[in-house]
């Protein structure tokens, strides 16, 4: 059991984890591997950006969100991963609000949104996507670029396949849609899917520890001192609430249902050819670069960028990624 716990501490953390866009139909991509060991704030502009912290009631659940920029400007919807919240997009909200309208919701049970019990809310990816889609509709957002990361991918692709006409383009930072994008580290998670019991559930618990959360943010980075520790400290507080472990294990278990939708999402990509910006941390143990490469099979219009960092690439390479985003969305 000790070996199982040690193994799954690594395996479950994540689950618990400048070229112009080519609009032709020619199968081309802009590929860049970026080493930013000596990066500076050269893209940081002085800004008077104001970020508003709001809530809106969706079917009895108060969904918290951060909003910045002029609503008359092009909109970017920012969908976060596990164990994070809209906090992970703080740099994006600050730096891009001079030119774009940005909206970053917290899913139910995450961030500053309500945390209803399992009896009050069904914690599945289908239901999270339903809530966020209703949120976007209630906000009157019917045309936007999507930024997806980790959990943001299965939520975002559900929204995109339901409403392809609304999605102008996709910014993908370690958001998977292919079997080959799941690394060998998923073996332990697959064991949970195959046989959910007290032991396989208990093996997930280290992912919710302060040490496990810190690992998720810092593993694969060039220098862990580049990463703001507020990330894992805030996540730890939320994951320490009564019932939080149980509902997150439900989401771990439900993640297998995303795999069955991969062919549908891939068909959406082939049929609709949304412009795609890849900004991927290659040292992510659960979503390695093979997941980024797989998108080349189905999407012709790719701006492909790989970074020498981990799962939360914005933490270490945010300035460079944000500049890529600015150039990308300008072309949509």
């Amino acid at each position: 059991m000790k070996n199982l716990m040690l193994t799954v501490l690594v395996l479950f953390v994540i689950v618990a984890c400048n070229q112009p866009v080519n609009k032709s139909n020619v199968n081309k991509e802009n590929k860049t591997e970026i080493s930013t060991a000596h990066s500076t704030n050269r893209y940081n502009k002085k800004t008077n950006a104001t970020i508003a912290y709001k809530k809106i009631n969706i079917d009895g659940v108060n969904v918290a969100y951060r909003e910045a920029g002029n609503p008359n400007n092009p909109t970017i919807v920012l969908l976060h991963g596990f164990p994070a919240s809209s906090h992970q997009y703080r740099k994006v909200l600050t730096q891009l609000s001079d030119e774009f309208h940005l909206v970053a919701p917290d899913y139910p049970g995450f961030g500053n949104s309500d945390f209803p019990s399992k009896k009050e809310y069904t914690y599945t990816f289908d239901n999270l996507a339903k809530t966020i889609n209703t949120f976007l509709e209630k906000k009157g957002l019917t045309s936007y670029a999507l930024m997806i990361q980790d959990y943001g991918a299965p939520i975002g692709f559900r929204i995109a396949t339901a409403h392809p006409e609304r999605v102008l383009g996709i910014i993908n930072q370690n958001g998977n849609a292919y079997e080959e994008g799941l690394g060998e580290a998923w073996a332990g998670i697959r064991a949970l899917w195959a046989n959910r019991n007290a032991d396989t559930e208990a093996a997930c618990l280290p992912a919710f520890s302060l040490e496990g959360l810190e690992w998720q943010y810092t593993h694969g980075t060039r220098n862990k001192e580049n990463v703001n520790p507020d990330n894992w400290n805030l996540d730890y507080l939320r994951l320490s609430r009564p019932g939080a472990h149980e509902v997150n294990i439900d989401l771990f278990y439900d993640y297998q249902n995303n795999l069955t939708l991969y062919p549908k999402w891939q068909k959406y990509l082939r049929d609709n050819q949304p412009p795609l910006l890849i900004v991927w941390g290659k040292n992510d143990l659960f979503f390695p670069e093979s997941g980024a490469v797989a998108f080349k099979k189905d999407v012709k219009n790719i701006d492909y960028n790989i970074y020498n960092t981990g799962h939360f690439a914005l933490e270490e390479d945010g300035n460079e990624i944000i500049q890529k985003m600015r150039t990308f969305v300008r072309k949509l």
Side-chain angles (χ1 to χ4, degrees):
M1 183 62 188
K2 182 178 179 181
N3 289 337
L4 178 61
M5 292 286 287
L6 290 172
T7 301
V8 180
L9 169 60
V10 175
L11 297 185
F12 277 81
V13 167
I14 185 165
V15 178
C17 40
N18 299 327
Q19 297 292 325
V21 175
N22 180 2
K23 292 187 177 291
S24 72
N25 290 323
V26 181
N27 187 7
K28 294 183 179 179
E29 71 193 44
N30 300 316
K31 179 175 181 180
T32 310
E33 179 160 355
I34 301 173
S35 176
T36 50
H38 304 290
S39 67
T40 66
N41 289 339
R42 67 192 237 236
Y43 295 124
N44 258 341
K45 295 183 176 181
K46 290 184 179 179
T47 178
N48 295 319
T50 298
I51 300 173
Y53 302 86
K54 304 180 180 181
K55 290 188 177 181
I56 187 170
N57 189 280
I58 305 297
D59 299 325
V61 177
N62 288 312
V63 172
Y65 63 102
R66 305 182 190 212
E67 186 170 20
N70 186 339
N72 294 322
N73 289 338
T75 297
I76 308 174
V77 174
L78 308 163
L79 300 179
H80 68 80
F82 174 90
S85 68
S86 57
H87 177 75
Q88 81 176 64
Y89 291 120
R90 62 199 182 277
K91 297 178 184 177
V92 179
L93 290 156
T94 298
Q95 294 187 39
L96 290 184
S97 60
D98 62 327
E99 190 171 351
F100 304 107
H101 175 224
L102 301 119
V103 177
D106 295 335
Y107 316 138
F110 291 77
N112 294 308
S113 288
D114 282 355
F115 179 31
S117 70
K118 288 178 59 173
K119 293 181 179 180
E120 300 169 307
Y121 188 87
T122 302
Y123 286 90
T124 64
F125 285 92
D126 279 347
N127 206 31
L128 291 178
K130 177 177 179 290
T131 297
I132 297 304
N133 183 64
T134 303
F135 162 81
L136 295 174
E137 291 179 342
K138 199 164 185 178
K139 284 284 294 175
L141 300 176
T142 57
S143 179
Y144 43 78
L146 273 179
M147 183 166 189
I148 57 176
Q149 193 268 344
D150 189 8
Y151 277 15
I155 293 171
F157 277 119
R158 280 173 169 84
I159 293 170
T161 52
H163 305 287
E165 74 284 354
R166 298 180 183 177
V167 178
L168 303 179
I170 297 173
I171 303 158
N172 188 344
Q173 195 263 286
N174 295 64
N176 192 52
Y178 295 86
E179 285 272 4
E180 55 265 50
L182 298 172
E184 293 181 3
W186 282 84
I189 298 158
R190 294 181 189 274
L192 176 73
W193 298 340
N195 184 16
R196 184 175 182 177
N197 56 51
D199 287 341
T200 55
E201 288 186 358
C204 301
L205 297 180
F208 309 137
S209 70
L210 190 58
E211 295 77 13
L213 294 168
E214 179 179 357
W215 180 91
Q216 181 166 347
Y217 280 96
T218 59
H219 176 81
T221 60
R222 299 181 298 281
N223 182 354
K224 65 182 294 182
E225 293 180 356
N226 292 332
V227 184
N228 187 341
D230 289 349
N231 288 300
W232 55 86
N233 282 296
L234 288 170
D235 294 343
Y236 179 70
L237 289 173
R238 297 183 184 110
L239 285 165
S240 298
R241 295 175 294 184
H245 293 179
E246 186 178 4
V247 300
N248 278 282
I249 290 173
D250 283 350
L251 284 172
F252 291 176
Y253 186 72
D254 186 62
Y255 199 95
Q256 63 187 300
N257 292 317
N258 296 328
L259 277 64
T260 65
L261 292 176
Y262 283 177
K264 180 179 180 180
W265 302 347
Q266 293 158 17
K267 185 177 186 302
Y268 155 77
L269 293 170
R270 288 192 301 273
D271 291 349
N272 293 274
Q273 291 297 314
L276 176 62
L277 172 63
I278 295 282
V279 282
W280 203 281
K282 71 175 184 177
N283 302 326
D284 187 337
L285 286 185
F286 284 79
F287 300 116
E289 188 184 352
S290 56
V293 172
F295 282 90
K296 299 177 184 180
K297 297 187 298 183
D298 296 313
V299 183
K300 299 175 181 179
N301 186 1
I302 301 181
D303 185 347
Y304 188 88
N305 306 273
I306 301 299
Y307 296 83
N308 181 25
T309 192
H311 183 62
F312 289 101
L314 280 168
E315 290 299 316
E316 200 163 35
D317 294 307
N319 294 329
E320 289 74 16
I321 290 172
I322 290 167
Q323 182 62 20
K324 294 279 186 182
M325 293 174 63
R326 184 183 296 276
T327 301
F328 176 77
V329 180
R330 280 175 177 172
K331 299 289 186 178
L332 297 178

